[in-house]
Amino acid sequence: MTDKQQNTGADTTATHSGFVALIGATNAGKSTLVNHLVGAKVSIVSHKVQTTRAIIRGIAIHDNAQIVFMDTPGIFKPRRRLDRAMVTSAWGGAKDADLIVLLIDSERGLKGDAEAILEALKDVPQPKLLVLNKIDRVRPEDLLKLAQAANEAVPFERTFMISALTGSGCKDLMDYLATALPEGPWYYPEDQISDLPMRQLAAEITREKLFLRLHQELPYASHVETEKWEERKDGSVRIEQVIYVERDSQKKIALGKGGEAIKAISTAARKEISEILEQPVHLFLFVKVRENWGNDPERFREMGLDFPK
């Protein structure tokens, strides 16, 4: 008996399915929340802002519903071409969804980007939910004030208070989504957790390890692409990836003294990719300088972003 049959009790039970766009300011916790709700790593997480660059879909089954979460890039005031592409991608994801979830960092409240997002949401027609994250760090009375202020700005269908890190409040959110989405067949096979190709997911994992290791020294000047993927007869996979940076000085940082940094990044990425694939992985990383890659249309296509004019 499948999980679906166990949860619904019978095959004749009506199924629900749909797309839920998670939007919010940078570092509100969207990727952490998607990973928790899906129950697996589908989106990279970093304490560094603007980690997610393109829309990543994580697929969760809850009761008789298939919920496709669209983890969008954090919305902020863009300065560079890449910034504009990321923000455009986020709002595009929202407009394509059946339902929109606005995630607010309770500690930061409605300051800055969050306030601007609320203003922009007034013109978006889809049903909207408000989710206050990191509630364990804020006094209850302050949470209530925050919820009231946000609901006065935008008519939300419901408000949920959660901790994406611990999972507190997440079941209530999933229960609601499972019934709020339209009735209809599921979009993806039952065991699929993401629509991201493994080559791209592997590159995202390496990019996460790069950020975690070098977030101070190598801000946003790096991009990772999987160039070769070879399934070997012994059941292992050989993966070759290129880390693109913009200057020779950044290449030296990525490599580290005696190759120490690149070895650590490779080891961490290989371990996680191997766990996801459930097979041995041989990972080879190369660092190449590509000046001004942030203005290269081909790099944007690799990231799943439209190149802004």
Side-chain angles (χ1 to χ4, degrees), residues 49-202:
V49 299
Q50 302 158 29
T51 304
T52 301
R53 284 177 174 168
I55 292 175
I56 295 171
R57 293 177 180 86
I59 305 159
I61 306 296
H62 189 74
D63 294 336
N64 60 324
Q66 185 178 71
I67 307 165
V68 185
F69 291 101
M70 305 161 70
D71 181 15
T72 63
I75 298 172
F76 57 100
K77 188 175 182 180
R79 295 179 178 84
R80 306 163 300 165
R81 178 171 265 144
L82 178 58
D83 296 343
R84 297 203 306 275
M86 289 160 61
V87 172
T88 300
S89 173
W91 282 115
K95 291 171 184 174
D96 290 339
D98 295 293
L99 197 150
I100 296 171
V101 170
L102 172 62
L103 194 65
I104 296 285
D105 180 334
S106 299
E107 281 191 300
R108 284 186 287 175
L110 302 182
K111 301 172 185 174
D113 293 328
E115 187 176 23
I117 294 168
L118 274 175
E119 186 63 32
L121 270 180
K122 293 177 182 179
D123 299 324
V124 179
Q126 286 96 326
K128 294 171 278 288
L129 304 181
L130 174 66
V131 175
L132 302 182
N133 189 24
K134 306 179 184 178
I135 58 170
D136 49 323
R137 303 180 184 179
V138 180
R139 295 184 306 172
E141 55 267 35
D142 292 333
L143 285 172
L144 292 175
K145 290 178 183 177
L146 177 58
Q148 181 179 354
N151 277 275
E152 287 174 357
V154 172
F156 291 99
E157 305 283 323
R158 288 280 297 274
T159 297
F160 295 88
M161 299 186 183
I162 69 156
S163 168
L165 199 58
T166 67
S168 175
C170 289
K171 185 180 183 300
D172 291 339
L173 175 60
M174 291 292 278
D175 287 345
Y176 180 86
L177 293 173
T179 56
L181 290 175
E183 284 191 17
W186 291 355
Y187 291 97
Y188 298 94
E190 188 172 350
D191 59 351
Q192 187 170 338
I193 61 169
S194 176
D195 70 345
L196 199 65
M198 275 311 308
R199 291 173 66 105
Q200 194 174 340
L201 181 57

Side-chain angles (χ1 to χ4, degrees), residues 23-67:
I23 67 170
T26 56
N27 256 10
K30 296 183 298 299
S31 296
T32 301
L33 180 58
V34 166
N35 290 341
H36 180 85
L37 298 180
V38 172
K41 180 75 162 282
V42 294
S43 189
I44 73 172
V45 179
S46 168
H47 54 279
K48 188 171 183 56
V49 299
Q50 302 158 29
T51 304
T52 301
R53 284 177 174 168
I55 292 175
I56 295 171
R57 293 177 180 86
I59 305 159
I61 306 296
H62 189 74
D63 294 336
N64 60 324
Q66 185 178 71
I67 307 165

